Amino acid sequence: MADRAKPDRIPDPQDSLIVLSGCGTSGRLAFFITSGFNRELRRLNQGAICLYIIAGGDRALFSSQEAPEDDPILGSLSLRKVSEGKKRVLFIGISCGLSAPFVAGQLDVCLQHPDVYTPVLIGFNPAHQARKEPIPGCTFTFHSVVERMQELSKMQKAFLINPALGPEAISGSSRMKGGSATKILLEVVFSAAHAANSSRTPILYKYRMKSYKQALDVTYSQAEGIAALMEAAGHSLQCGRRVCYLGWGSLGLLGLIDASECKPTFGADYEDIRGFVSGGYKELGNKEGDLNLMGCEFGITHDDFLNSVLPCLTDKDMVLLLYSHSGNQWELSTKLLLNAVSTGAHIFKGKVYQNYMIDLQVTNSKLYHRATRLLQTLSGRSESQCEEALLKAIYQVDKLTEDMMTCHLKTHTDAAGKGEKVVPLALVCLLTGCSVKEAKSLLERKAIIREAVEECLLKYTSSKGLKETRESEDKKLREAGSLMM
Ligand code: F1P
C-alpha cells in the first residue's frame, strides 16, 4: 500500500482512526499489534491512533469466547461505537478462514459508508473459498461481502490481503500458521506505513521479511530442544498436571494468547496450560482494564501465579519462563515455540487423531460444521447422520425431541459449551452404534481419547469399503490446500 501515493502525516486521532478487529486468535493478535504500534507512536510523541476490537470483549483476550464470532450485529455495533464522530476510519478485519460473521458485519458497515471507512480484509483462503453459509438475519454472507470488496478493490477503495498459506498442521487450527502470518503481515504493513510517513516518501519494505525468515531458521535449528519441551509438556498433561507460561512484556502476552487457545482447539481446561504476565492488566493496557473480578481464570499476574499456583506445584508440572533482553526480536520465535509446545503436549495427551482435533469445542457455527465434517470424514457416514449423532452427544440423549431438531443452531452451540468430549462421544456412537451412555463409559475407561477412537475405528473400518472412503476423503482434504475453516 505504501508505494502508491505520497503519504500524509499520521492523521489526527481526533478525526481519524485505525481499527483492527477479529475473533479468537485474530482478535487477540489485533490487540497485540495495536498495543505495539501505539506504544511506538507514544514513544515518538504522536497520538495513539490504533484501536482493537475483539468479539466477546476483553474477556476473550485471555479466555475462550467463541460464540460472539457468530454475531454480525454485535460486530457492526462495536465498530460504529468506536468510530463515532470520526471522519476517516481505516478498518482492518482479520478472519484467517474468511469466515467470521462478526467481521462480515463490520465490513458491511464499511461498504455502506465508503465516505468514512476504508475496509481491509486479511485472511488466508482464496476469495472464492470464503464462507458461503447464510448468516441468520442478514442479507449477506461472508462470501458476498468478499465479492463486494473485490469490486471496490479495483478502484483501491477496499483491500483484500489473502495470500494462501495452505493447510495447517492440525486441520483448522488457524492459530498456528494463520496467526503467525497475521502477525507478520500486519507488522510489515504498519512498519512500512510508518516509515513512509516519517520519511514522507513511498517505501518498499522488503528487508523486514528477511528478519522473519531468520527467526524461522533460528527457531527450527533448535528442533531437538523444541521436541524435548513438547515431550516434557506432554508428560505434565498426561499425568493430569499443568504447564505454566511465566512471562514478561510482549512475550508474556504471547504466552497468555497461546494458553487461551487450548480450550476451543483441544477441549482443554483453563488450568491445563495457563499464562501469567508481569504487571498484568496495567502493563497490557487493555480497554476494559483489570478483569480479575470475572473469575479465577482472569488472574494473570505473577502474583496470581505465586498465590494460587506455586503452592501446589510438583515436579510433574512444567513452568516455562518467557523473557528476552533484546526487545521484541524474539516474538515470532516465541509464538512458534509456544504453538509447538501446546499443540505437541495435547498430541501427547491424545487430543489429536492423525491431524484432526478430535476433542474440539463445538461453541460456534463454524466449529459445529467443522465437527460435523470431521465426523463424516472419520465415520464415512452421511452429513445428516453425523449431525444427528452430534446433537445426541450435545444433549446427551439417544432420541432427539422435535424441539432439539428444530431449534436454532445457537441453542445447540450454547448447550455444547456445557458438555464435555462432545465430538468423541458422537464419533464412538456413530462407529459402534452404542448409546450415548455406553459411549460415555467407554471413553471414561480409556483415559486417552485418541486410543478410544482408534480402537473403535479399527473395529469399524475393517470393512474395506469404509477404509477406501476415508482414504479418498483424506486425499481430498490434503489436496484442498486451504483448510482454515
Ligand atoms: C477465528 C477463531 C480462531 C480459533 C478457532 C475459532 O477464526 O476464533 O482464532 O482458533 O478456530 O475461530 P478466523 O475468523 O480468524 O478464521
Side-chain angles (χ1 to χ4, degrees):
M1 279 194 273
D3 62 339
R4 211 176 323 106
K6 199 165 172 68
D8 299 326
R9 293 280 312 143
I10 287 233
D12 181 356
Q14 290 287 356
D15 293 334
S16 316
L17 194 62
I18 302 173
V19 181
L20 270 69
S21 176
C23 312
T25 304
S26 300
R28 292 174 196 126
L29 286 169
F31 170 61
F32 188 93
I33 302 290
T34 49
S35 306
F37 191 59
N38 283 341
R39 202 179 311 122
E40 188 56 19
L41 288 178
R42 276 194 294 267
R43 198 179 60 79
L44 300 167
N45 282 329
Q46 301 204 19
I49 196 171
C50 249
L51 257 181
Y52 68 93
I53 298 176
I54 178 164
D58 274 5
R59 55 162 52 217
L61 290 174
F62 315 111
S63 70
S64 158
Q65 308 288 333
E66 308 302 317
E69 177 174 325
D70 278 343
D71 196 337
I73 311 288
L74 198 63
S76 63
L77 287 177
S78 60
L79 177 59
R80 283 179 200 273
K81 190 168 165 208
V82 295
S83 32
E84 232 170 57
K86 302 290 175 196
K87 294 194 179 112
R88 296 293 302 140
V89 177
L90 176 68
F91 173 76
I92 305 180
I94 312 161
S95 181
C96 292
L98 301 183
S99 66
F102 184 88
V103 174
Q106 296 175 322
L107 290 169
D108 182 62
V109 170
C110 299
L111 293 169
Q112 283 183 42
H113 301 281
D115 47 323
V116 176
Y117 296 96
T118 304
V120 180
L121 170 60
I122 293 184
F124 303 102
N125 269 338
H128 70 272
Q129 287 189 359
R131 190 170 173 187
K132 299 190 180 76
E133 185 192 327
I135 304 175
C138 290
T139 49
F140 54 83
T141 62
F142 204 105
H143 184 256
S144 71
V145 168
V146 168
E147 283 183 330
R148 281 152 71 199
M149 298 252 322
Q150 280 181 310
E151 254 332 281
L152 281 181
S153 73
K154 291 177 191 154
M155 294 163 283
Q156 302 194 332
K157 290 189 171 166
F159 301 88
L160 181 58
I161 309 179
N162 62 328
L165 297 179
E168 295 281 357
I170 304 291
S171 180
S173 187
S174 55
R175 75 194 194 101
M176 299 171 82
K177 269 204 289 191
S180 302
T182 302
K183 179 169 158 29
I184 294 173
L185 238 166
L186 283 169
E187 284 172 357
V188 169
V189 168
F190 274 51
S191 313
H194 189 49
N197 188 71
S198 309
S199 65
R200 303 193 57 73
T201 48
I203 297 248
L204 266 179
Y205 222 62
K206 282 191 183 142
Y207 84 87
R208 189 138 184 192
M209 291 308 286
K210 267 198 193 152
S211 69
Y212 290 112
K213 169 82 173 68
Q214 271 166 5
L216 272 182
D217 293 344
V218 168
T219 310
Y220 292 123
S221 70
Q222 304 296 320
E224 273 183 31
I226 298 176
L229 278 179
M230 285 160 78
E231 201 175 340
H235 285 316
S236 295
L237 293 195
Q238 268 175 334
C239 53
R241 301 302 306 180
R242 60 171 105 212
V243 175
C244 293
Y245 302 145
L246 206 54
W248 282 260
S250 61
L251 304 192
L253 176 53
L254 287 171
L256 287 171
I257 293 178
D258 186 87
S260 65
E261 294 156 348
C262 295
K263 199 171 171 188
T265 313
F266 305 111
D269 188 86
Y270 85 91
E271 299 256 37
D272 291 347
I273 300 196
R274 198 169 162 189
F276 299 90
V277 67
S278 168
Y281 296 101
K282 212 164 166 202
E283 195 62 28
L284 294 176
N286 56 308
K287 269 193 283 196
E288 294 169 34
D290 195 329
L291 306 181
N292 235 310
L293 291 177
M294 287 185 173
C296 308
E297 64 184 302
F298 296 97
I300 57 164
T301 63
H302 286 187
D303 280 345
D304 292 310
F305 172 79
L306 292 177
N307 297 331
S308 66
V309 179
L310 189 65
C312 35
L313 281 189
T314 72
D315 58 0
K316 295 213 162 54
D317 296 293
M318 176 169 157
V319 180
L320 262 181
L321 303 187
L322 312 173
Y323 67 93
S324 141
H325 294 301
S326 46
N328 56 11
Q329 268 179 22
W330 291 100
E331 283 177 2
L332 181 62
S333 195
T334 304
K335 181 184 180 298
L336 297 172
L337 176 101
L338 296 179
N339 288 167
V341 166
S342 55
T343 302
H346 283 99
I347 292 174
F348 273 100
K349 199 183 175 184
K351 294 297 192 123
V352 174
Y353 171 74
Q354 294 180 350
N355 67 333
Y356 303 115
M357 39 171 105
I358 42 171
D359 195 11
L360 73 148
Q361 286 213 325
V362 189
T363 35
N364 66 33
S365 63
K366 178 179 76 178
L367 299 173
Y368 181 89
H369 294 303
R370 182 183 292 170
T372 310
R373 280 199 306 273
L374 177 62
L375 292 171
Q376 275 179 267
T377 305
L378 296 181
S379 74
R381 300 290 185 86
S382 69
E383 187 183 344
S384 62
Q385 284 171 319
C386 292
E387 196 169 348
E388 191 183 327
L390 185 61
L391 289 178
K392 286 178 180 171
I394 290 174
Y395 293 108
Q396 310 260 314
V397 294
D398 291 318
K399 199 166 170 17
L400 295 170
T401 63
E402 188 63 27
D403 270 2
M404 289 169 184
M405 285 191 290
T406 50
C407 67
H408 197 281
L409 199 146
K410 170 129 184 31
T411 314
H412 302 326
T413 51
D414 286 348
K418 294 179 195 125
E420 268 188 19
K421 298 183 190 164
V422 166
V423 179
L425 269 179
L427 184 59
V428 172
C429 289
L430 273 171
L431 291 177
T432 63
C434 71
S435 67
V436 172
K437 201 169 162 210
E438 284 162 346
K440 231 174 161 180
S441 78
L442 189 146
L443 288 174
E444 273 159 15
R445 282 200 305 278
K446 286 253 172 216
I448 299 184
I449 289 177
R450 183 182 52 240
E451 286 176 6
V453 166
E454 268 167 351
E455 195 179 289
C456 295
L457 278 167
L458 206 70
K459 281 188 199 149
Y460 184 67
T461 55
S462 48
S463 93
K464 191 169 170 283
L466 179 58
K467 254 190 203 151
E468 274 166 7
T469 317
R470 287 203 23 237
E471 273 160 17
S472 100
E473 279 296 328
D474 282 352
K475 191 161 170 261
K476 264 193 258 158
L477 285 173
R478 275 197 301 276
E479 284 168 0
S482 56
L483 290 178
M484 296 292 187
M485 304 193 24

